[in-house]
Amino acid sequence: MKVGVIGGGRMAEAFVRGIVASGVVAADDVVVNDISDVRCDLLQGSYGVTICRDNRALVAGADVVILAVKPQGLDAVLAEIAPAVTQANLVISIAAGKHLAGIGAFLEAVRLVRVMPNLPATVGEGMSVFCMGPGTSTSDRDTVVRLLSSFGKVHELPEAQFDAVTALSGSGPAFFAHYLAEFIAGGCDLGLDREAATLLATQTMLGTARLLTEQAITPAELVKAVCSKKGTTEAGMQHLGSPVLGEIVRATLDAAAERSRELSA
Ligand SMILES: NC(=O)c1ccc[n+]([C@@H]2O[C@H](COP(=O)([O-])OP(=O)(O)OC[C@H]3O[C@@H](n4cnc5c(N)ncnc54)[C@H](OP(=O)(O)O)[C@@H]3O)[C@@H](O)[C@H]2O)c1
């Protein structure tokens, strides 16, 4: 499988690192283009991929084309590559807020997939949600799952849910990081130095996520398991358990999903 990647930014790099390091695609079979010479040199030097500075030539030589430019730059790229795209290409867009129908308007009768990845893909712990466009096959779906699985978890959902997906897992890393920053600041206020507070809070977040996932327990069950009667956790939960936190989280996700809707209108 030859994979062509248009746009060589942070998400493209996570994608390239994942598919090459896992052996899903050989480095020789990955071709990348970015406007920036610096990004091209970095990707070539770090992952051994080939650089092609012509987007149409890149498409002509690829089975799978990954569109990894910013959403505001996508239409220009679509117009540019449209004459080169054929039924031989499976086109995967990771541009936030860009609908299959909008992309399909540029690329007639193409096999198209929309993906919302997230930045933890950089360390192989991404959450990628995808929806298959019209005309795609089960073998295309298998290809998409194989590629995305190389840098994290993969889940298929209808496109109608992509605004919620964007809010929860697309923007989610920033929301969790912000929450973590508050824990670190709180640890410092209690007298820990920043380095120790960062280690304790970050490892606790990571460990909690793994515990929930690997033992298939719900967050509420975990809270109950840690909260002993009249203990320290129960004392803390009297504050954190306030409905205000729930209201703030709901408002955060609502605002992100609404912005996603606005951007895709
Ligand atoms: N970052 C995230 O957390 C995240 C999460 C989910 C989805 N996404 C989606 O992933 C896509 C890429 O995001 P990113 O964070 O990786 O952005 P990024 O770091 O800005 O990468 C995009 C790259 O594409 C280059 N580019 C622009 N036009 C091009 C063209 N015509 N041909 C070749 N390269 C071109 C840009 O160069 P210049 O900078 O010089 O323009 C830039 O280096 C976006 O559509 C975004 O919505 C990102």
Side-chain angles (χ1 to χ4, degrees):
M1 172 172 34
K2 303 257 184 219
V3 176
V5 185
I6 300 181
R10 282 168 305 172
M11 277 313 306
E13 185 172 354
F15 202 105
V16 167
R17 182 190 291 115
I19 60 174
V20 170
S22 63
V24 168
V25 185
D28 286 351
D29 289 328
V30 181
V31 181
V32 181
N33 186 24
D34 192 281
I35 289 178
S36 147
D37 290 340
V38 175
R39 291 301 301 170
C40 288
D41 291 348
L42 185 143
L43 292 167
Q44 189 170 37
S46 303
Y47 309 104
V49 299
T50 306
I51 301 300
C52 169
R53 303 311 298 265
D54 176 341
N55 283 336
R56 285 188 194 168
L58 181 150
V59 167
D63 303 305
V64 177
V65 177
I66 314 293
L67 301 173
V69 297
K70 285 275 187 214
Q72 55 272 29
L74 186 66
D75 286 1
V77 168
L78 290 170
E80 180 190 356
I81 64 171
V85 175
T86 70
Q87 264 296 317
N89 304 116
L90 176 65
V91 177
I92 301 178
S93 166
I94 66 166
K98 289 290 186 177
H99 288 151
L100 289 168
I103 300 169
F106 284 89
L107 310 176
E108 268 174 55
V110 77
R111 289 144 59 220
L112 192 58
V113 184
R114 181 176 171 191
V115 176
M116 173 51 61
N118 70 6
L119 215 49
T122 310
V123 291
E125 290 291 350
M127 181 67 245
S128 300
V129 178
F130 71 96
C131 61
M132 305 298 294
T136 50
S137 63
T138 46
S139 139
D140 290 335
R141 188 183 180 282
D142 291 345
T143 301
V144 169
V145 170
R146 201 146 40 95
L147 291 170
L148 300 179
S149 299
S150 72
F151 48 83
K153 296 250 186 319
V154 184
H155 192 64
E156 184 173 14
L157 283 173
E159 190 174 30
Q161 294 185 3
F162 264 53
D163 294 319
V165 168
T166 303
L168 207 63
S169 57
S171 301
F175 301 150
F176 282 113
H178 184 76
Y179 188 67
L180 188 65
E182 293 295 338
F183 264 78
I184 293 167
C188 292
D189 288 351
L190 288 173
L192 295 172
D193 65 49
R194 181 154 291 276
E195 197 183 338
T198 303
L199 172 67
L200 269 61
T202 308
Q203 176 58 22
T204 301
M205 182 181 256
L206 185 68
T208 304
R210 283 194 59 186
L211 184 62
L212 290 171
T213 311
E214 290 175 19
Q215 299 202 343
I217 50 178
T218 66
E221 284 166 344
L222 181 57
V223 171
K224 205 168 158 208
V226 183
C227 262
S228 48
K229 203 91 190 122
K230 295 194 190 310
T232 57
T233 315
E234 191 186 72
M237 283 302 295
Q238 280 174 6
H239 295 269
L240 196 68
S242 149
V244 175
L245 179 68
E247 285 161 21
I248 291 172
V249 172
R250 290 310 182 293
T252 301
L253 294 175
D254 280 352
E258 178 55 28
R259 185 70 187 130
S260 171
R261 269 188 290 278
E262 284 167 14
L263 289 173
S264 35

